[in-house]
Amino acid sequence: MATTVPSAGALALAGCMAFLSPIAAAEPALPSAPSTMPSAGLLRFDLRVQPLQGALDAYGALTGRSGFYTAESIAGRSSAAVQGRYTPEAALRLLLEGTGLAIHYTAPDAFVLEPGVPATAEAPAEAARAPGPDDGLVQARVNDAFCGDPRLAAGDFRAALRFGLDAQGRVVRPLLLGSTGDAARDRAVLAALATVQLGRPPLAGAGQPPYVMLIAPRAEGGGWRCDARVGAAP
C-alpha cells in the first residue's frame, strides 16, 4: 500500500531497521531514471486519470507494493491513466508519467518517490543493485552513531535516510527523505550520520551510488539495539 508522509510527520514503514542496497543515482543530482526490481508478472490495471494520491492507493491495493513519499511531493499532481496488462514496474512508470517524480526501488515490494526527472514508460530500466560488501558494516556504524546520542538511542521514530560514502569510507551528503516529526531530532539524525565512517576505504571502491536506509520505531519491531550503551533506552 502507499504511504503519505506529512511534512510534520515521518515516513511510515512496517518492519525492522533495514539497510537497503544502493540505489542507482549520480551524486549530487537526483537519479535520471527509475530503478527497477524483478517483475512480479503481468497484472490487469484499470486506473483512470485522478489525483495522484488516489491512484497510488489503488496501485498499492492491486500490487501489494508500498510507496513512501511526502504529502508535498504529490500535492496537486494527477496520475496518468493505466489500462491494460502490465508488470507492476511498467504500470507505475505509466501512472507517474508527467508528474516529475522519480522512482527508487528499495525492496522488491517497496519504493520511494522523489522529485526528479519525469518517470516515463519509455525510460530505460536500471537493474537493481545487489547488496554490497560494505552493507553490514555501514549498518553497524549507523547503529553505533545513533546509540551514541540519547535523543536517538530510544529508537522511537520513523525515518528514511539517504547518504553516500567517500573514498575514505566516511558518510557524505546525508539526507532525510522526510521529517522524523521533530526538527531538533532531524538535526540530530543528520549530525549523527555525518560522524559515520567505516574506518577503511569502501570495498566496492569510491564513487558508488548512494544508499537508502528505512527505519521504524523499536515498538513496531524496528529500531536498533543500544542495550549496553549509556543513555540508551531499556
Side-chain angles (χ1 to χ4, degrees):
M1 61 183 292
T3 301
T4 307
V5 184
S7 59
L11 283 171
L13 175 69
C16 63
M17 176 180 180
F19 178 77
L20 303 166
S21 299
I23 54 176
E27 287 292 342
L30 288 173
S32 59
S35 58
T36 61
M37 285 286 183
S39 171
L42 296 177
L43 298 173
R44 180 169 295 280
F45 293 84
D46 187 14
L47 303 178
R48 58 181 174 80
V49 175
Q50 59 187 298
L52 187 53
Q53 177 70 75
L56 288 169
D57 288 345
Y59 173 87
L62 178 60
T63 64
R65 300 192 174 195
S66 298
F68 304 90
Y69 43 83
T70 63
E72 288 84 353
S73 69
I74 65 169
R77 301 179 193 267
S78 296
S79 71
V82 184
Q83 296 178 321
R85 292 177 62 83
Y86 299 96
T87 65
E89 295 78 26
L92 185 58
R93 291 198 299 271
L94 280 171
L95 185 150
L96 294 172
E97 187 170 341
T99 64
L101 297 175
I103 311 162
H104 308 311
Y105 282 92
T106 55
D109 60 352
F111 58 90
V112 173
L113 299 181
E114 289 185 277
V117 297
T120 67
E122 292 76 23
E126 297 174 0
R129 291 285 303 274
D134 298 308
D135 290 4
L137 181 57
V138 172
Q139 181 171 333
R141 293 289 187 262
V142 172
N143 185 96
D144 289 345
F146 282 11
C147 289
D149 188 325
R151 294 168 296 182
L152 308 179
D156 58 354
F157 62 92
R158 299 181 181 88
L161 318 172
R162 184 172 183 264
F163 54 87
L165 293 175
D166 68 11
Q168 285 72 48
R170 297 172 299 205
V171 161
V172 292
R173 297 178 295 279
L175 177 67
L176 267 175
L177 302 177
S179 173
T180 67
D182 182 283
R185 186 166 54 200
D186 291 350
R187 292 191 292 271
V189 168
L190 293 175
L193 279 177
T195 69
V196 172
Q197 50 186 311
L198 301 187
R200 58 164 172 75
L203 295 177
Q208 294 299 303
Y211 298 100
V212 169
M213 180 180 285
L214 302 179
I215 57 177
R218 187 179 302 165
E220 297 179 10
W224 37 94
R225 294 294 170 259
C226 308
D227 299 333
R229 298 176 184 278
V230 175

